[in-house]
Amino acid sequence: MSAAVTVVLVVLLLIALGFVALERGGGAKELALVATIGALAAAGRVLFAPIPGAQPITVTCLVTGASLGARAGLAVGAVAALISNSFLGQGPWTPPQMALWALAGLSGAALRRVCRARLGLAAVGAVWGVAYGWGMNLWYLAAFGPEVSWAALTLSGGRSLPFEAVHATTNVVLALVAGPALLRLLGRYATRIRTEVVVIPPAPAPAPAAPAPRRPPAPAPPR
């Protein structure tokens, strides 16, 4: 149990550092956008809750990371897990869910060239459908036992295989159907919130030239 508590503390510290980096480097507009995306992702998870294993948050985190960067992807994963569990139930599973979806957002930023393609996003989503399930299995074994070993992890993975298959399938379908539209939408928002309008003051008008001194008229020649 002490190892699990240590992991929780480390995860919470890393997520807190990510939020601080987002607040300092992203600005108020990006912070508001990340909060909105996290709330929408949480709503999608609650909506898909009747389907065991369906987790639309994963694709949202990948798209956010690919469009807005690592800080935003990390923050959306943590926020979406925390908000959705306020409706579905908080518990010791909340910190690992926050960590795994934060990592999904980070991977979307690291693999942005792959995730910006429809098939690439679907492939990464399929991998995360399995990785998420195995990550949660590893957490439960570390927190509640009986032991952390390949045998125990393989056994728990076999039991959770149907849920991972649904998760991966949902990610693929969402990536193929809605992925390109989400990428375009978030890409436009990213351009808007990161575009700075610089107003250049007009150049001062040149000072009027001083009038040339008048020369006295030449004396008339003698007659």
Side-chain angles (χ1 to χ4, degrees):
M1 184 66 70
S2 59
V5 172
T6 302
V7 172
V8 170
L9 294 177
V10 172
V11 168
L12 293 179
L13 177 61
L14 293 177
I15 292 175
L17 292 176
F19 276 107
V20 171
L22 178 66
E23 193 275 334
R24 291 187 176 181
K29 292 182 179 180
E30 185 172 354
L31 192 62
L33 178 60
V34 166
T36 302
I37 298 172
L40 292 176
R45 185 188 177 206
V46 174
L47 182 64
F48 278 77
I51 306 176
Q55 305 286 1
I57 292 179
T58 307
V59 173
T60 306
C61 293
L62 291 173
V63 171
T64 303
S67 302
L68 302 179
R71 294 177 307 192
L74 181 149
V76 165
V79 168
L82 189 61
I83 294 178
S84 60
N85 281 353
S86 298
F87 297 91
L88 302 176
Q90 300 283 2
W93 51 84
T94 300
Q97 288 176 337
M98 294 173 65
L100 289 170
W101 275 317
L103 289 175
L106 292 176
S107 68
L111 302 173
R112 57 169 48 91
R113 292 186 178 180
V114 177
C115 291
R116 286 177 180 175
R118 186 194 299 263
L119 295 179
L121 181 62
V124 177
V127 172
W128 263 108
V130 178
Y132 176 87
W134 279 68
M136 290 300 299
N137 292 338
L138 181 61
W139 164 263
Y140 276 108
L141 291 175
F144 305 108
E147 63 178 357
V148 178
S149 64
W150 282 111
L153 188 59
T154 303
L155 180 61
S156 60
R159 293 175 178 175
S160 64
L161 184 60
F163 301 97
E164 293 158 8
V166 173
H167 190 176
T169 303
T170 304
N171 291 348
V172 171
V173 172
L174 288 177
L176 295 177
V177 174
L182 288 175
L183 285 166
R184 289 193 300 269
L185 179 63
L186 292 185
R188 287 196 296 268
Y189 275 108
T191 303
R192 290 180 182 178
I193 64 179
R194 292 171 182 172
T195 300
E196 296 183 1
V197 179
V198 180
V199 179
I200 302 176
R214 294 185 179 181
R215 296 181 179 181
R223 292 182 181 180

